[in-house]
């Protein structure tokens, strides 16, 4: 099965994505992750003003199959939470990259070391190996 992985995003091998726009990072989970989880029934996210730390869990996505931790691709302060996803987790399945984003984060510092982030091509190669 083939999924869309927009080229302007960067990815973690744990299936989160980040869209960097200056000092604001938009975080979400990939179409592959949504597919693997199945029917998502609950999303737990931090609140506006909370800090997240790169490489650490910042929330959970619960499906009928499993509960998966969300890993932070960046460090910073949460500036916005997508309440549409909290109210209706199925939004993730409908549009993980547009209306299904999870958080907007003010970066703690400019991202100088981005070696942990994958390009769309590298991420696609990884997940097609998992499928």
């Amino acid at each position: 099965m083939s999924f869309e992985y927009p080229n302007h995003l960067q990815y973690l091998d744990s299936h989160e994505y980040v869209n960097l726009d200056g000092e604001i990072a938009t975080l979400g989970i990939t179409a592959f992750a949504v597919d693997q989880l199945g029917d998502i029934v609950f999303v737990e996210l931090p609140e506006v003003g909370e800090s997240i730390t790169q490489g650490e869990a910042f929330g959970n996505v619960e499906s009928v199959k499993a509960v998966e931790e969300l890993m932070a691709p960046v460090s910073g302060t949460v500036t916005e939470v997508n309440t549409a996803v909290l109210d209706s987790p199925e939004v993730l399945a409908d549009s993980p990259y547009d209306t299904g984003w999870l958080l907007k984060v003010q970066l703690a510092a400019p991202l100088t070391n981005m070696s942990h982030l994958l390009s769309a091509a590298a991420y696609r190669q990884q997940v097609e190996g998992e499928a």
Side-chain angles (χ1 to χ4, degrees):
M1 184 176 265
S2 181
F3 296 103
E4 180 183 340
Y5 307 113
N7 287 326
H8 68 283
L9 302 177
Q10 293 175 296
Y11 302 86
L12 284 178
D13 58 8
S14 55
H15 312 297
E16 292 82 8
Y17 69 79
V18 58
N19 183 13
L20 295 171
D21 183 11
E23 294 182 4
I24 301 294
T26 302
L27 311 183
I29 62 172
T30 67
F32 178 82
V34 171
D35 179 71
Q36 293 297 299
L37 285 163
D39 292 331
I40 296 171
V41 295
F42 183 73
V43 178
E44 180 184 350
L45 297 172
E47 294 183 16
V48 170
E50 289 187 38
S51 293
I52 65 170
T53 303
Q54 178 183 315
E56 294 185 8
F58 67 85
N60 295 299
V61 175
E62 185 175 333
S63 73
V64 293
K65 293 185 194 177
V67 176
E68 290 294 326
E69 285 189 324
L70 298 165
M71 301 307 289
V74 297
S75 296
T77 303
V78 177
T79 60
E80 194 175 340
V81 175
N82 188 349
T83 55
V85 169
L86 297 177
D87 295 341
S88 302
E90 62 274 8
V91 169
L92 285 169
D94 297 339
S95 181
Y97 304 112
D98 294 317
T99 55
W101 59 273
L102 300 175
L103 298 178
K104 293 193 187 238
V105 175
Q106 172 77 44
L107 296 177
L111 272 187
T112 52
N113 179 6
M114 299 183 40
S115 62
H116 66 290
L117 298 174
L118 303 171
S119 68
Y123 180 74
R124 180 179 292 108
Q125 187 174 20
Q126 175 199 308
V127 296
E128 287 176 357
E130 287 183 23

